[in-house]
Amino acid sequence: MNITRENVDALNAVVKVDIAKEDYSDKVEKILTDYRKTANIPGFRKGHVPMGMVKKQYGKAVLVDEVNKLLQDALNKYLTEEKLDVLGQPLPKPQDDIDWDAEKFSFEFELGLAPEFEVELKGKKAITQYNIVADDKMIDEQVERIQKQYGKLVSQDTVEKDSEITGTFTNEEKEIDNKVTLTLDKFEGKATEKQFIGAKAGDVITLKTKGLYSDEHELMHALKLSHDDVHGLDIEVNFTINEINKRELADLDQELFDKLFGEGTVKSVTELKDKIKEDAEKQFVQQADQKLLNDVTEYLVENTKFDLPAEFLTKWMQTAGEKEMNAEEAKEEYEKSEKSLRYQLIEGKLIEANDIKITMDDIKDHARNMIKAQMAQFGQMNPSDKELDDIAARVLSNQDEARRISEQIISQRLLEVYKEKANLKTKELSYENFVKEVYGDK
């Protein structure tokens, strides 16, 4: 067997594999001999079928199968030994009808080669690393939410600005008849709020659905209609007030602190606010890290310049998926996935350059920590090691889940590299201002 390679250019090559009779003949002969021992052909006892008949019936199929096996094994071995960094899989060049009666065969494969490039993390323009803090306004709002959640309802005669109003939305034409509890701050306009202020149980208030809520999901819940039904809905509905209550805030006392965090963990309002700040900022770190990861990824893809064997990859995509694509579909798919492919190559360079390795123990530890955090959310604070190991084993038995965890660990390790080596500038701001700056939300 002989394998040669011709480099078309820096990103494309053609590999030629020549297979001679001595490469496959012994294997083919052995398989046919084994067939002869077990062949069940009418008119002949088992094991006594003439070899000529076996070769005539099975010879070509066995030959084709063995040559293809040889071909794949030889090609894979060659790529490994030559340390060729290929993209996609080798593509066999189309051949006219192969003469399987010949003793020698030649096959050619197109290769798409990974480009040579360098990754520069420390760019001229600094990337913002956000430090999100829980400001006094947020902490005070969270304290009030806790007080409302654990407070008690006090009946009222008339609606006030902070009342909780239970009533029924109705509209005969649309067959709306839905009982809800609402608060006035959810409505879009002040005019709606004014209609409610001073109203009593039994009063009926007529409202227009258009512009009633800023979010259609709120209207879906209020009227118990589907998304399609509320989209563009412009009708009048009646709201009959059944009950008016005011939520009396819970006292910030030891009983509430123990209920929230366990006995003796928090002993004062100051400690409560410190705990809220600490817990909130832990969550903010995750959001800030994800933002940094996204921004560095975007920077690397935009600023790490290299060419790809686009024509080869487009051709490879036609047959690489579960469903074959035509040339136009493959071109469209390549254009959609090019950015992702570029980052995969960049990521591979960074992993190699920074000697990032992941062991099975790393994956197990990550799974255990993830499971422990999830259990804590449901009040299970001290699961046993055996319990964690058993659940982790079940999770990791799913290959997709194990791969997802592995990818999470790689992202964490790369994030550490970015924080250490990238050109970053730190910006401290409140969560509200972070959302405004990053997402443009109000």
Side-chain angles (χ1 to χ4, degrees):
M1 185 181 301
N2 187 44
I3 302 180
T4 55
R5 180 176 85 246
E6 179 186 348
N7 290 330
V8 179
D9 54 39
L11 298 173
N12 295 274
V14 174
V15 168
K16 184 180 180 184
V17 182
D18 293 319
I19 296 178
K21 184 176 182 179
E22 57 267 24
D23 297 320
Y24 61 81
S25 58
D26 288 349
K27 186 71 174 173
V28 170
E29 196 68 28
K30 183 179 183 308
I31 291 172
L32 291 175
T33 301
D34 291 341
Y35 273 15
R36 186 186 179 211
K37 293 175 184 176
T38 58
N40 191 4
I41 297 177
F44 298 94
R45 285 183 298 141
K46 188 178 285 188
H48 290 76
V49 179
M51 193 60 174
M53 184 174 288
V54 172
K55 286 183 177 181
K56 185 176 181 181
Q57 190 160 344
Y58 301 108
K60 188 166 287 187
V62 171
L63 171 66
V64 171
D65 190 41
E66 286 308 308
V67 167
N68 280 323
K69 284 180 185 177
L70 267 175
L71 196 56
Q72 291 304 317
D73 290 345
L75 194 57
N76 291 335
K77 185 179 178 183
Y78 176 79
L79 296 179
T80 303
E81 289 178 348
E82 294 292 311
K83 296 180 180 177
L84 290 178
D85 192 0
V86 298
L87 302 179
Q89 295 292 329
L91 283 178
K93 291 188 79 170
Q95 287 181 264
D96 295 331
D97 290 342
I98 299 170
D99 181 9
W100 291 105
D101 292 323
E103 294 187 348
K104 294 182 179 180
F105 306 100
S106 290
F107 302 91
E108 290 185 337
F109 293 85
E110 296 178 62
L111 303 182
L113 305 177
E116 291 292 331
F117 61 93
E118 297 296 326
V119 180
E120 181 54 63
L121 270 175
K122 199 173 281 292
K124 291 179 182 179
K125 186 177 179 182
I127 298 169
T128 301
Q129 180 180 6
Y130 290 97
N131 179 26
I132 310 169
V133 296
D135 58 7
D136 291 341
K137 179 187 173 188
M138 167 177 270
I139 293 168
D140 290 340
E141 287 174 349
Q142 181 62 17
V143 169
E144 187 175 340
R145 275 195 291 273
I146 289 170
Q147 287 183 278
K148 283 182 178 179
Q149 182 181 347
Y150 289 91
K152 61 181 180 180
L153 290 176
V154 178
S155 180
Q156 291 180 292
D157 293 329
T158 58
V159 175
E160 296 176 10
K161 192 170 183 177
D162 57 355
S163 296
E164 289 187 12
I165 309 149
T166 301
T168 305
F169 279 107
T170 56
N171 176 284
E172 190 173 338
E173 181 189 350
K174 293 288 185 180
E175 298 182 344
I176 296 168
D177 187 357
N178 189 43
K179 186 176 181 179
V180 295
T181 297
L182 53 82
T183 54
L184 300 182
D185 61 315
K186 294 291 186 182
F187 290 122
E188 173 70 1
K190 293 290 182 184
T192 304
E193 184 180 295
K194 287 179 181 177
Q195 285 183 264
F196 277 87
I197 298 295
K200 299 177 180 180
D203 287 355
V204 178
I205 297 172
T206 301
L207 302 165
K208 287 187 174 294
T209 57
K210 187 176 182 180
L212 186 60
Y213 293 100
S214 58
D215 186 346
E216 285 187 345
H217 290 90
E218 295 280 359
L219 189 61
M220 287 168 57
H221 171 71
L223 306 184
K224 206 173 182 179
L225 293 176
S226 70
H227 188 278
D228 290 343
D229 287 336
V230 300
H231 185 65
L233 186 65
D234 187 8
I235 60 170
E236 286 189 343
V237 291
N238 290 326
F239 184 82
T240 304
I241 298 175
N242 304 128
E243 190 179 332
I244 307 164
N245 294 294
K246 183 174 184 178
R247 192 167 288 274
E248 192 175 89
L249 299 182
D251 291 331
L252 296 172
D253 55 18
Q254 194 60 48
E255 182 183 351
L256 178 61
F257 301 154
D258 291 348
K259 191 180 292 183
L260 289 170
F261 303 106
E263 189 173 345
T265 304
V266 169
K267 298 176 182 176
S268 67
V269 173
T270 301
E271 289 184 12
L272 171 66
K273 290 184 175 182
D274 288 344
K275 190 77 171 72
I276 290 171
K277 181 179 176 67
E278 178 189 348
D279 290 347
E281 289 181 353
K282 279 182 184 175
Q283 295 181 24
F284 296 159
V285 167
Q286 294 176 1
Q287 293 188 57
D289 281 352
Q290 187 58 54
K291 172 63 177 166
L292 179 60
L293 197 60
N294 293 344
D295 287 347
V296 175
T297 298
E298 191 71 27
Y299 162 81
L300 290 171
V301 171
E302 293 299 322
N303 292 279
T304 308
K305 303 298 182 184
F306 54 83
D307 292 325
L308 289 170
E311 186 178 338
F312 168 84
L313 288 170
T314 303
K315 194 189 299 184
W316 170 70
M317 283 181 174
Q318 287 187 250
T319 56
E322 292 180 8
K323 180 185 173 186
E324 284 200 22
M325 292 183 275
N326 60 37
E328 191 61 36
E329 290 170 332
K331 183 182 178 185
E332 187 179 331
E333 183 64 26
Y334 172 74
E335 288 170 355
K336 285 194 293 186
S337 60
E338 183 186 358
K339 195 171 182 179
S340 173
L341 177 57
R342 286 182 176 277
Y343 181 67
Q344 285 176 29
L345 292 170
I346 293 167
E347 184 183 70
K349 283 272 188 183
L350 289 169
I351 289 170
E352 183 180 2
N354 294 280
D355 198 27
I356 295 173
K357 294 182 175 67
I358 297 175
T359 66
M360 195 62 211
D361 285 341
D362 293 331
I363 296 172
K364 286 178 182 176
D365 287 344
H366 188 92
R368 279 168 54 94
N369 291 333
M370 180 181 71
I371 293 159
K372 194 171 183 179
Q374 289 172 349
M375 293 175 77
Q377 292 176 2
F378 295 96
Q380 294 175 265
M381 305 305 294
N382 295 299
S384 68
D385 287 341
K386 184 179 185 308
E387 194 174 5
L388 289 172
D389 287 339
D390 288 347
I391 299 172
R394 288 200 296 274
V395 169
L396 296 178
S397 66
N398 182 321
Q399 288 187 350
D400 290 337
E401 192 64 25
R403 183 168 55 251
R404 187 180 69 82
I405 290 173
S406 179
E407 289 168 356
Q408 286 178 349
I409 298 171
I410 288 174
S411 292
Q412 289 176 355
R413 303 272 175 89
L414 285 172
L415 187 63
E416 291 167 10
V417 172
Y418 298 158
K419 287 181 178 180
E420 179 188 347
K421 297 183 178 180
N423 182 10
L424 305 178
K425 61 178 180 182
T426 301
K427 185 171 185 177
E428 185 174 290
L429 72 181
S430 68
Y431 181 71
E432 182 180 4
N433 288 333
F434 170 77
V435 171
K436 284 180 183 176
E437 181 164 320
V438 173
Y439 304 108
D441 292 349
K442 52 185 179 179

Short mmCIF file of all heavy atoms in Angstrom, two decimals, residues 1 3 17-20 23-25 27-28 30-32 34-35 60-78 98 100 105 107 109:
data_model
loop_
_atom_site.label_atom_id
_atom_site.label_comp_id
_atom_site.label_asym_id
_atom_site.label_seq_id
_atom_site.Cartn_x
_atom_site.Cartn_y
_atom_site.Cartn_z
N MET A 1 0.84 -1.19 0.00
CA MET A 1 0.00 0.00 0.00
C MET A 1 0.89 1.25 0.00
O MET A 1 1.90 1.30 0.68
CB MET A 1 -0.89 0.00 1.24
CG MET A 1 -1.90 1.15 1.26
SD MET A 1 -2.91 1.15 2.73
CE MET A 1 -3.67 -0.46 2.63
N ILE A 3 0.70 5.63 0.14
CA ILE A 3 -0.11 6.83 0.35
C ILE A 3 0.74 8.04 0.07
O ILE A 3 1.84 8.20 0.61
CB ILE A 3 -0.67 6.89 1.79
CG1 ILE A 3 -1.49 5.64 2.11
CG2 ILE A 3 -1.52 8.14 1.98
CD1 ILE A 3 -2.08 5.62 3.50
N VAL A 17 -4.41 7.02 -2.25
CA VAL A 17 -4.13 5.73 -1.60
C VAL A 17 -4.11 4.66 -2.69
O VAL A 17 -5.12 4.42 -3.36
CB VAL A 17 -5.20 5.39 -0.54
CG1 VAL A 17 -4.84 4.07 0.15
CG2 VAL A 17 -5.34 6.51 0.48
N ASP A 18 -2.96 4.00 -2.85
CA ASP A 18 -2.82 2.90 -3.80
C ASP A 18 -2.85 1.59 -3.03
O ASP A 18 -2.05 1.38 -2.10
CB ASP A 18 -1.50 3.01 -4.56
CG ASP A 18 -1.47 4.23 -5.47
OD1 ASP A 18 -2.50 4.52 -6.11
OD2 ASP A 18 -0.42 4.90 -5.50
N ILE A 19 -3.76 0.69 -3.41
CA ILE A 19 -3.88 -0.60 -2.74
C ILE A 19 -3.54 -1.71 -3.74
O ILE A 19 -4.13 -1.77 -4.83
CB ILE A 19 -5.30 -0.80 -2.19
CG1 ILE A 19 -5.58 0.25 -1.10
CG2 ILE A 19 -5.48 -2.20 -1.61
CD1 ILE A 19 -6.97 0.18 -0.51
N ALA A 20 -2.59 -2.55 -3.36
CA ALA A 20 -2.17 -3.67 -4.22
C ALA A 20 -2.81 -4.97 -3.75
O ALA A 20 -3.32 -5.06 -2.64
CB ALA A 20 -0.65 -3.78 -4.20
N ASP A 23 -2.12 -6.50 -0.40
CA ASP A 23 -2.65 -5.83 0.78
C ASP A 23 -3.96 -6.46 1.26
O ASP A 23 -4.28 -6.37 2.45
CB ASP A 23 -2.91 -4.34 0.49
CG ASP A 23 -1.63 -3.59 0.15
OD1 ASP A 23 -0.61 -3.88 0.80
OD2 ASP A 23 -1.66 -2.72 -0.75
N TYR A 24 -4.69 -7.08 0.33
CA TYR A 24 -6.02 -7.57 0.71
C TYR A 24 -6.23 -9.06 0.44
O TYR A 24 -7.16 -9.67 0.99
CB TYR A 24 -7.10 -6.78 -0.03
CG TYR A 24 -7.03 -6.88 -1.54
CD1 TYR A 24 -7.56 -7.98 -2.22
CD2 TYR A 24 -6.44 -5.88 -2.29
CE1 TYR A 24 -7.47 -8.08 -3.60
CE2 TYR A 24 -6.36 -5.96 -3.67
CZ TYR A 24 -6.88 -7.07 -4.32
OH TYR A 24 -6.80 -7.16 -5.68
N SER A 25 -5.39 -9.69 -0.38
CA SER A 25 -5.70 -11.05 -0.86
C SER A 25 -5.79 -12.07 0.27
O SER A 25 -6.71 -12.91 0.29
CB SER A 25 -4.65 -11.49 -1.89
OG SER A 25 -3.35 -11.45 -1.31
N LYS A 27 -6.57 -11.68 3.40
CA LYS A 27 -7.78 -11.45 4.21
C LYS A 27 -9.02 -11.93 3.46
O LYS A 27 -9.90 -12.59 4.03
CB LYS A 27 -7.90 -9.95 4.54
CG LYS A 27 -9.03 -9.60 5.48
CD LYS A 27 -8.76 -10.06 6.89
CE LYS A 27 -9.84 -9.56 7.84
NZ LYS A 27 -9.71 -10.12 9.19
N VAL A 28 -9.10 -11.60 2.19
CA VAL A 28 -10.24 -12.03 1.37
C VAL A 28 -10.30 -13.55 1.31
O VAL A 28 -11.38 -14.15 1.46
CB VAL A 28 -10.16 -11.42 -0.05
CG1 VAL A 28 -11.21 -12.06 -0.97
CG2 VAL A 28 -10.35 -9.91 0.02
N LYS A 30 -9.16 -15.73 3.44
CA LYS A 30 -9.55 -16.30 4.73
C LYS A 30 -11.06 -16.20 4.94
O LYS A 30 -11.72 -17.14 5.40
CB LYS A 30 -8.82 -15.57 5.87
CG LYS A 30 -9.13 -16.15 7.26
CD LYS A 30 -8.38 -15.42 8.34
CE LYS A 30 -8.63 -16.05 9.70
NZ LYS A 30 -10.03 -16.24 10.05
N ILE A 31 -11.61 -15.04 4.59
CA ILE A 31 -13.05 -14.85 4.78
C ILE A 31 -13.83 -15.80 3.89
O ILE A 31 -14.82 -16.42 4.31
CB ILE A 31 -13.45 -13.38 4.49
CG1 ILE A 31 -12.86 -12.46 5.58
CG2 ILE A 31 -14.96 -13.22 4.44
CD1 ILE A 31 -13.02 -10.99 5.31
N LEU A 32 -13.40 -15.95 2.66
CA LEU A 32 -14.10 -16.86 1.74
C LEU A 32 -13.98 -18.32 2.21
O LEU A 32 -14.92 -19.11 2.07
CB LEU A 32 -13.56 -16.70 0.33
CG LEU A 32 -13.88 -15.37 -0.36
CD1 LEU A 32 -13.18 -15.27 -1.70
CD2 LEU A 32 -15.40 -15.20 -0.54
N ASP A 34 -13.75 -19.28 5.31
CA ASP A 34 -14.70 -19.39 6.42
C ASP A 34 -16.14 -19.49 5.90
O ASP A 34 -16.96 -20.23 6.45
CB ASP A 34 -14.57 -18.19 7.36
CG ASP A 34 -13.25 -18.20 8.14
OD1 ASP A 34 -12.63 -19.28 8.22
OD2 ASP A 34 -12.84 -17.12 8.64
N TYR A 35 -16.44 -18.73 4.84
CA TYR A 35 -17.77 -18.81 4.23
C TYR A 35 -18.04 -20.24 3.74
O TYR A 35 -19.14 -20.77 3.88
CB TYR A 35 -17.87 -17.83 3.05
CG TYR A 35 -18.29 -16.43 3.40
CD1 TYR A 35 -18.26 -15.96 4.71
CD2 TYR A 35 -18.71 -15.55 2.40
CE1 TYR A 35 -18.62 -14.67 5.02
CE2 TYR A 35 -19.07 -14.24 2.70
CZ TYR A 35 -19.03 -13.80 4.01
OH TYR A 35 -19.38 -12.52 4.31
N LYS A 60 -16.78 -10.91 -4.94
CA LYS A 60 -16.71 -9.48 -5.20
C LYS A 60 -17.18 -8.67 -3.98
O LYS A 60 -16.56 -7.64 -3.62
CB LYS A 60 -17.54 -9.12 -6.43
CG LYS A 60 -17.34 -7.67 -6.86
CD LYS A 60 -17.89 -7.41 -8.25
CE LYS A 60 -17.01 -8.03 -9.32
NZ LYS A 60 -17.39 -7.67 -10.68
N ALA A 61 -18.25 -9.12 -3.32
CA ALA A 61 -18.78 -8.39 -2.15
C ALA A 61 -17.74 -8.36 -1.03
O ALA A 61 -17.53 -7.33 -0.39
CB ALA A 61 -20.07 -9.04 -1.66
N VAL A 62 -17.06 -9.50 -0.81
CA VAL A 62 -16.02 -9.56 0.23
C VAL A 62 -14.85 -8.67 -0.13
O VAL A 62 -14.31 -7.94 0.71
CB VAL A 62 -15.56 -11.02 0.44
CG1 VAL A 62 -14.34 -11.06 1.36
CG2 VAL A 62 -16.68 -11.86 1.01
N LEU A 63 -14.46 -8.69 -1.41
CA LEU A 63 -13.35 -7.86 -1.88
C LEU A 63 -13.65 -6.38 -1.65
O LEU A 63 -12.82 -5.63 -1.10
CB LEU A 63 -13.11 -8.13 -3.36
CG LEU A 63 -12.12 -7.18 -4.06
CD1 LEU A 63 -10.72 -7.36 -3.50
CD2 LEU A 63 -12.13 -7.42 -5.57
N VAL A 64 -14.83 -5.94 -2.08
CA VAL A 64 -15.21 -4.52 -1.92
C VAL A 64 -15.20 -4.13 -0.45
O VAL A 64 -14.67 -3.08 -0.07
CB VAL A 64 -16.61 -4.27 -2.54
CG1 VAL A 64 -17.11 -2.87 -2.19
CG2 VAL A 64 -16.56 -4.47 -4.05
N ASP A 65 -15.75 -4.99 0.39
CA ASP A 65 -15.83 -4.70 1.82
C ASP A 65 -14.42 -4.59 2.43
O ASP A 65 -14.13 -3.66 3.19
CB ASP A 65 -16.62 -5.81 2.52
CG ASP A 65 -16.96 -5.47 3.96
OD1 ASP A 65 -17.33 -4.31 4.21
OD2 ASP A 65 -16.85 -6.35 4.83
N GLU A 66 -13.55 -5.50 2.09
CA GLU A 66 -12.20 -5.50 2.66
C GLU A 66 -11.36 -4.33 2.16
O GLU A 66 -10.60 -3.73 2.92
CB GLU A 66 -11.50 -6.83 2.36
CG GLU A 66 -11.99 -7.99 3.18
CD GLU A 66 -11.98 -7.68 4.67
OE1 GLU A 66 -10.91 -7.25 5.18
OE2 GLU A 66 -13.02 -7.84 5.33
N VAL A 67 -11.51 -4.00 0.89
CA VAL A 67 -10.77 -2.86 0.34
C VAL A 67 -11.22 -1.56 1.03
O VAL A 67 -10.39 -0.71 1.39
CB VAL A 67 -10.95 -2.77 -1.19
CG1 VAL A 67 -10.46 -1.40 -1.71
CG2 VAL A 67 -10.20 -3.89 -1.88
N ASN A 68 -12.52 -1.43 1.25
CA ASN A 68 -13.03 -0.23 1.93
C ASN A 68 -12.53 -0.14 3.37
O ASN A 68 -12.19 0.94 3.85
CB ASN A 68 -14.57 -0.20 1.90
CG ASN A 68 -15.09 0.30 0.57
OD1 ASN A 68 -14.51 1.20 -0.03
ND2 ASN A 68 -16.19 -0.28 0.10
N LYS A 69 -12.48 -1.29 4.05
CA LYS A 69 -11.94 -1.30 5.42
C LYS A 69 -10.47 -0.90 5.43
O LYS A 69 -10.03 -0.10 6.25
CB LYS A 69 -12.11 -2.69 6.04
CG LYS A 69 -13.52 -3.04 6.48
CD LYS A 69 -13.53 -4.46 7.06
CE LYS A 69 -14.95 -4.90 7.40
NZ LYS A 69 -14.96 -6.30 7.89
N LEU A 70 -9.71 -1.49 4.52
CA LEU A 70 -8.29 -1.16 4.40
C LEU A 70 -8.09 0.34 4.15
O LEU A 70 -7.22 0.98 4.73
CB LEU A 70 -7.68 -1.93 3.23
CG LEU A 70 -7.02 -3.27 3.52
CD1 LEU A 70 -6.61 -3.91 2.19
CD2 LEU A 70 -5.78 -3.10 4.40
N LEU A 71 -8.93 0.83 3.26
CA LEU A 71 -8.85 2.23 2.86
C LEU A 71 -9.07 3.16 4.05
O LEU A 71 -8.28 4.08 4.30
CB LEU A 71 -9.92 2.48 1.79
CG LEU A 71 -9.84 3.73 0.93
CD1 LEU A 71 -8.49 3.82 0.24
CD2 LEU A 71 -10.99 3.71 -0.08
N GLN A 72 -10.12 2.91 4.81
CA GLN A 72 -10.43 3.77 5.96
C GLN A 72 -9.36 3.67 7.04
O GLN A 72 -8.94 4.68 7.61
CB GLN A 72 -11.81 3.40 6.54
CG GLN A 72 -12.99 3.75 5.65
CD GLN A 72 -13.00 5.23 5.28
OE1 GLN A 72 -12.76 6.10 6.10
NE2 GLN A 72 -13.26 5.51 4.01
N ASP A 73 -8.93 2.45 7.33
CA ASP A 73 -7.89 2.26 8.34
C ASP A 73 -6.59 2.96 7.94
O ASP A 73 -5.95 3.62 8.76
CB ASP A 73 -7.62 0.76 8.57
CG ASP A 73 -8.77 0.05 9.26
OD1 ASP A 73 -9.64 0.76 9.82
OD2 ASP A 73 -8.81 -1.19 9.24
N ALA A 74 -6.22 2.78 6.68
CA ALA A 74 -4.97 3.38 6.20
C ALA A 74 -5.03 4.90 6.23
O ALA A 74 -4.07 5.58 6.62
CB ALA A 74 -4.69 2.89 4.78
N LEU A 75 -6.19 5.44 5.84
CA LEU A 75 -6.37 6.89 5.80
C LEU A 75 -6.32 7.49 7.21
O LEU A 75 -5.63 8.48 7.46
CB LEU A 75 -7.69 7.22 5.12
CG LEU A 75 -7.91 8.67 4.69
CD1 LEU A 75 -6.81 9.13 3.76
CD2 LEU A 75 -9.27 8.80 4.01
N ASN A 76 -7.03 6.86 8.15
CA ASN A 76 -7.03 7.34 9.53
C ASN A 76 -5.63 7.29 10.14
O ASN A 76 -5.20 8.22 10.83
CB ASN A 76 -8.00 6.53 10.39
CG ASN A 76 -9.45 6.77 10.01
OD1 ASN A 76 -9.78 7.83 9.46
ND2 ASN A 76 -10.31 5.80 10.27
N LYS A 77 -4.92 6.19 9.86
CA LYS A 77 -3.56 6.02 10.38
C LYS A 77 -2.63 7.09 9.79
O LYS A 77 -1.80 7.68 10.50
CB LYS A 77 -3.04 4.62 10.05
CG LYS A 77 -1.69 4.30 10.66
CD LYS A 77 -1.26 2.88 10.30
CE LYS A 77 0.14 2.58 10.87
NZ LYS A 77 0.61 1.24 10.48
N TYR A 78 -2.80 7.34 8.52
CA TYR A 78 -1.96 8.34 7.84
C TYR A 78 -2.17 9.73 8.43
O TYR A 78 -1.21 10.46 8.72
CB TYR A 78 -2.29 8.35 6.34
CG TYR A 78 -1.55 9.40 5.57
CD1 TYR A 78 -0.22 9.22 5.19
CD2 TYR A 78 -2.18 10.59 5.21
CE1 TYR A 78 0.47 10.20 4.47
CE2 TYR A 78 -1.50 11.58 4.51
CZ TYR A 78 -0.18 11.37 4.15
OH TYR A 78 0.50 12.35 3.45
N ILE A 98 -15.48 1.59 -10.95
CA ILE A 98 -14.24 0.93 -10.52
C ILE A 98 -14.24 -0.50 -11.06
O ILE A 98 -15.22 -1.22 -10.94
CB ILE A 98 -14.13 0.92 -8.99
CG1 ILE A 98 -14.11 2.35 -8.45
CG2 ILE A 98 -12.90 0.16 -8.52
CD1 ILE A 98 -14.24 2.46 -6.95
N TRP A 100 -13.50 -3.79 -10.33
CA TRP A 100 -13.19 -4.63 -9.17
C TRP A 100 -12.53 -5.96 -9.57
O TRP A 100 -12.12 -6.74 -8.72
CB TRP A 100 -14.45 -4.89 -8.35
CG TRP A 100 -14.94 -3.65 -7.66
CD1 TRP A 100 -16.00 -2.88 -8.00
CD2 TRP A 100 -14.34 -3.02 -6.51
NE1 TRP A 100 -16.12 -1.81 -7.16
CE2 TRP A 100 -15.12 -1.87 -6.23
CE3 TRP A 100 -13.22 -3.31 -5.73
CZ2 TRP A 100 -14.82 -1.02 -5.17
CZ3 TRP A 100 -12.92 -2.46 -4.67
CH2 TRP A 100 -13.70 -1.33 -4.40
N PHE A 105 -5.82 -0.93 -6.99
CA PHE A 105 -6.84 0.11 -6.94
C PHE A 105 -6.21 1.42 -6.43
O PHE A 105 -5.31 1.40 -5.59
CB PHE A 105 -7.98 -0.27 -5.98
CG PHE A 105 -8.58 -1.62 -6.28
CD1 PHE A 105 -8.21 -2.74 -5.54
CD2 PHE A 105 -9.50 -1.78 -7.30
CE1 PHE A 105 -8.75 -3.98 -5.80
CE2 PHE A 105 -10.04 -3.02 -7.59
CZ PHE A 105 -9.67 -4.13 -6.83
N PHE A 107 -7.37 5.35 -5.00
CA PHE A 107 -8.46 6.21 -4.52
C PHE A 107 -7.87 7.56 -4.10
O PHE A 107 -6.78 7.63 -3.54
CB PHE A 107 -9.17 5.57 -3.32
CG PHE A 107 -9.73 4.20 -3.60
CD1 PHE A 107 -8.96 3.06 -3.37
CD2 PHE A 107 -11.00 4.05 -4.11
CE1 PHE A 107 -9.47 1.80 -3.63
CE2 PHE A 107 -11.52 2.79 -4.37
CZ PHE A 107 -10.75 1.66 -4.13
N PHE A 109 -8.68 11.33 -2.08
CA PHE A 109 -9.53 12.02 -1.10
C PHE A 109 -9.13 13.48 -1.00
O PHE A 109 -7.94 13.81 -0.93
CB PHE A 109 -9.38 11.38 0.28
CG PHE A 109 -9.91 9.98 0.36
CD1 PHE A 109 -9.12 8.89 -0.02
CD2 PHE A 109 -11.21 9.73 0.80
CE1 PHE A 109 -9.60 7.60 0.04
CE2 PHE A 109 -11.69 8.44 0.86
CZ PHE A 109 -10.89 7.37 0.49
#
